[in-house]
Amino acid sequence: MQRGQESPDAVKVRTLPVQVAALLTRRIVSGDIEDGRAPSELDISREFGVSRVVARETLKILASLDIVEVAQGRRVVVRPRAEWDYLSPLLIEWLPPEIVGELLQELHQMRVLLEPELAAMAAAGITEETLNRLKDGIDRMAVLEADPNAYLEVDHEFHMEICRAADNRILDRIMYSARWLGTASRRITNEAPAGLRRATAEHTEIYEALVARDPEGARAAMRRHLSKNYSTLLAEKGKQTRRAARRR
Amino acid sequence: MQRGQESPDAVKVRTLPVQVAALLTRRIVSGDIEDGRAPSELDISREFGVSRVVARETLKILASLDIVEVAQGRRVVVRPRAEWDYLSPLLIEWLPPEIVGELLQELHQMRVLLEPELAAMAAAGITEETLNRLKDGIDRMAVLEADPNAYLEVDHEFHMEICRAADNRILDRIMYSARWLGTASRRITNEAPAGLRRATAEHTEIYEALVARDPEGARAAMRRHLSKNYSTLLAEKGKQTRRAARRR
DNA sequence: TGGTCCAACTTGTCCTATAAGCTGATGACA
DNA sequence: TGTCATCAGCTTATAGGACAAGTTGGACCA
């Protein structure tokens, strides 16, 4: 549930507990619910007109995102926002756009740190199979430049393939979440990224470094790719200075 | 639920759905459940002698860890292992020791990539408050070298404080999960880390670089710290070559 | 004042019933 | 014989009521 299995553009009917969880989270974020005091199962049941089962599942979802803490006998309490699971696309969809914008930047910062290293790690022991799949991806991307959604799907696969080749399940998981987060937020903001043609060229550079089993080259190519992406991201979203006075 | 709110050494009574989820996961890992076919709510209910509500919550937990995929009307299906949420301490506790050992190494690899950069980022805009808390931590660590568990608690806080200073919620979340993972696995293997005295000295070096607002110095100090940790980790666990023929 | 105990509240589990969605097989029609 | 609509049966989603188990705060007693 935490991570969407649906394709990014699918119109999905969310279950009742997820809907209620969204409403509750928004209420917490907006400050309507004072910190530390979350509604009980019965409160939720009454207020939203749902069964206790649904109220229960709602709280379980919020607990799995570290938004609240629940234990038998004790009241549900709201956990510190700093520790919520911001890697979850579910949570991202419930947050207001200004926070999502900030998170997107922080997300990109993380990718800039990790992905070049992943590319370098992958270069060491990459298999012919993986290389073939990467080549496939590039070919398909070249054709899909007119269809951003489909392009991003393949883009996603391309990067994940490199992650997988780096042979580290923890890093793999992180990047998986991160990329899902990216598509989720893109779905929210309804923005299509620009510069797909250039992206294809950059992907090719990465690919060629991997073919040559050249860690340094792969790292550098990936870094170039991401830094350019970053600037287009900034150009698209405009306001770079929105993070100014956020922290508590 | 996903991330433990309990202190690491607390004896916790797990809820029924969590217990069943653990059993089911182990069964999947051991190959007793053929890939793609997971038991239904009724199957679980019958087989484990629990109510359908519990069976339901079990599946929800497994779904939140991306172990299975559940949708109305469709059978529950087991998802590819490569995409399970290995950042979850819950899942880690259910996996066999050999896999946990591998994951610990991969985890450390991630820390080596991220934490030096976090330290450098933190050095830029660190506040006096944070510096004071770090100093506090070092003082306490110096006293606690005889009590590994308490020491690690403070160690954890020290590193998290630096994460927080780096002002990136995504990276913060990752490191939070990662360190929890570390303590969880340590609880499993029952191993106490060695070299606490040296660790304190290294923490001091990091702290001093931060005081000087020196990004390069902080990065270097953190890198030294982690590389040494890595070697003691290897020394403790012995078999370095256990990852040889794992990938399918 | 200090401590014990209990009542009220809260979450955990169980049971039963119905609604809603999917899948595969059956059977009608061309 | 091949194609497609339909439906029965299985599965998950939601509802309501009941009791068990754990926690908390206040009443009560010494």
Side-chain angles (χ1 to χ4, degrees):
Chain A
M1 166 186 325
Q2 169 139 303
R3 204 167 66 193
Q5 277 78 34
E6 325 84 11
S7 74
D9 49 352
V11 180
K12 48 197 142 179
V13 182
R14 324 227 78 147
T15 78
L16 222 34
V18 173
Q19 294 179 44
V20 177
L23 292 175
L24 268 181
T25 302
R26 293 211 178 97
R27 199 174 290 191
I28 294 173
V29 170
S30 73
D32 280 4
I33 293 179
E34 53 178 320
D35 273 20
R37 291 198 116 74
S40 70
E41 290 181 1
L42 273 180
D43 293 337
I44 296 174
S45 176
R46 277 194 293 263
E47 179 163 2
F48 293 93
V50 296
S51 73
R52 218 193 114 200
V53 178
V54 170
R56 249 184 101 64
E57 279 195 24
T58 297
L59 287 176
K60 284 298 165 71
I61 292 173
L62 295 182
S64 82
L65 299 176
D66 286 332
I67 296 174
V68 302
E69 181 176 346
V70 12
Q72 183 171 3
R74 280 208 296 274
R75 275 198 81 94
V76 181
V77 297
V78 177
R79 283 170 51 77
R81 282 168 216 214
E83 295 176 4
W84 291 4
D85 183 7
Y86 293 107
L87 275 176
S88 161
L90 211 44
L91 172 55
I92 298 305
E93 293 193 18
W94 303 340
L95 296 174
E98 60 273 18
I99 295 186
V100 173
E102 296 169 2
L103 286 170
L104 258 185
Q105 289 200 359
E106 297 174 15
L107 182 74
H108 192 272
Q109 194 170 21
M110 184 211 71
R111 286 186 53 194
V112 169
L113 290 185
L114 282 188
E115 288 212 66
E117 300 305 321
L118 281 168
M121 286 161 64
I126 200 164
T127 65
E128 288 301 324
E129 277 178 72
T130 303
L131 286 174
N132 286 338
R133 275 196 293 270
L134 288 175
K135 184 78 177 72
D136 254 36
I138 291 177
D139 291 344
R140 276 184 295 160
M141 281 191 265
V143 178
L144 289 173
E145 279 166 7
D147 181 353
N149 279 339
Y151 186 96
L152 286 174
E153 198 79 16
V154 183
D155 183 328
H156 176 92
E157 261 315 309
F158 183 87
H159 284 263
M160 286 315 299
E161 200 70 57
I162 294 177
C163 283
R164 225 164 292 144
D167 197 37
N168 181 316
R169 280 163 290 188
I170 305 283
L171 288 168
D172 191 39
R173 170 71 194 186
I174 292 173
M175 289 312 304
Y176 191 102
S177 299
R179 304 208 131 259
W180 249 102
L181 228 175
T183 61
S185 54
R186 192 143 38 220
R187 193 164 60 237
I188 296 172
T189 58
N190 252 340
E191 285 177 24
L196 294 188
R197 163 149 295 161
R198 195 178 52 205
T200 306
E202 290 162 3
H203 285 144
T204 305
E205 287 177 26
I206 297 169
Y207 168 74
E208 281 166 357
L210 290 175
V211 169
R213 263 83 174 177
D214 170 16
E216 304 305 325
R219 187 189 345 250
M222 181 66 86
R223 195 168 293 167
R224 278 195 302 277
H225 177 44
L226 291 177
S227 69
K228 286 190 185 166
N229 266 2
Y230 187 49
S231 44
T232 68
L233 187 75
L234 283 183
E236 280 171 13
K237 304 199 70 67
K239 329 161 50 179
Q240 297 95 316
T241 56
R242 90 182 66 87
R243 303 184 57 189
R246 163 163 57 82
R247 292 287 172 197
R248 45 173 168 97
Chain B
M1 166 184 326
Q2 170 138 301
R3 204 165 67 193
Q5 277 78 36
E6 326 83 12
S7 75
D9 49 354
V11 179
K12 50 198 144 182
V13 182
R14 324 227 76 148
T15 163
L16 219 37
V18 173
Q19 294 179 44
V20 177
L23 292 174
L24 267 180
T25 302
R26 294 212 178 95
R27 197 173 291 190
I28 294 173
V29 169
S30 73
D32 280 4
I33 294 179
E34 54 178 319
D35 274 19
R37 289 199 117 74
S40 69
E41 289 181 5
L42 273 181
D43 293 337
I44 295 175
S45 175
R46 276 193 294 263
E47 179 163 1
F48 293 93
V50 296
S51 75
R52 228 193 100 201
V53 177
V54 170
R56 245 184 103 63
E57 281 195 21
T58 297
L59 287 176
K60 284 299 165 69
I61 293 174
L62 295 182
S64 81
L65 299 176
D66 287 331
I67 295 174
V68 302
E69 181 175 347
V70 13
Q72 182 171 1
R74 279 208 298 272
R75 274 198 82 95
V76 181
V77 296
V78 177
R79 283 170 51 78
R81 280 169 217 211
E83 295 176 6
W84 291 5
D85 183 7
Y86 292 107
L87 275 177
S88 161
L90 211 44
L91 172 54
I92 297 305
E93 293 192 18
W94 303 340
L95 296 173
E98 61 273 17
I99 295 186
V100 172
E102 296 170 3
L103 285 171
L104 258 185
Q105 289 201 359
E106 297 174 15
L107 183 72
H108 193 272
Q109 194 170 22
M110 184 210 71
R111 286 186 54 194
V112 168
L113 290 185
L114 281 189
E115 288 212 68
E117 300 306 320
L118 282 168
M121 287 160 64
I126 200 163
T127 66
E128 289 300 324
E129 274 179 74
T130 304
L131 286 173
N132 286 337
R133 275 197 292 271
L134 289 174
K135 184 78 176 69
D136 254 37
I138 291 178
D139 292 344
R140 275 185 295 160
M141 281 191 266
V143 178
L144 288 173
E145 279 165 7
D147 181 353
N149 279 340
Y151 186 97
L152 286 174
E153 198 79 15
V154 183
D155 183 328
H156 176 93
E157 261 314 309
F158 183 88
H159 283 262
M160 285 316 298
E161 201 68 58
I162 294 177
C163 282
R164 225 164 291 144
D167 197 39
N168 181 316
R169 279 162 293 189
I170 304 285
L171 288 168
D172 191 38
R173 169 72 195 186
I174 292 173
M175 289 312 304
Y176 191 103
S177 299
R179 302 206 133 261
W180 247 102
L181 229 176
T183 61
S185 54
R186 192 143 37 218
R187 193 165 59 238
I188 296 172
T189 57
N190 252 342
E191 286 177 24
L196 293 188
R197 162 150 294 161
R198 195 178 52 206
T200 306
E202 289 162 4
H203 285 143
T204 305
E205 286 178 27
I206 297 169
Y207 168 73
E208 281 166 358
L210 290 175
V211 168
R213 263 85 175 176
D214 171 16
E216 304 305 325
R219 188 191 343 252
M222 181 66 86
R223 197 169 291 165
R224 278 196 301 275
H225 177 44
L226 290 177
S227 69
K228 286 189 185 166
N229 265 1
Y230 187 48
S231 43
T232 67
L233 188 74
L234 283 184
E236 280 170 12
K237 302 200 70 70
K239 332 162 44 180
Q240 297 95 318
T241 56
R242 91 183 66 87
R243 304 185 55 189
R246 166 164 55 82
R247 296 284 173 197
R248 50 180 159 90

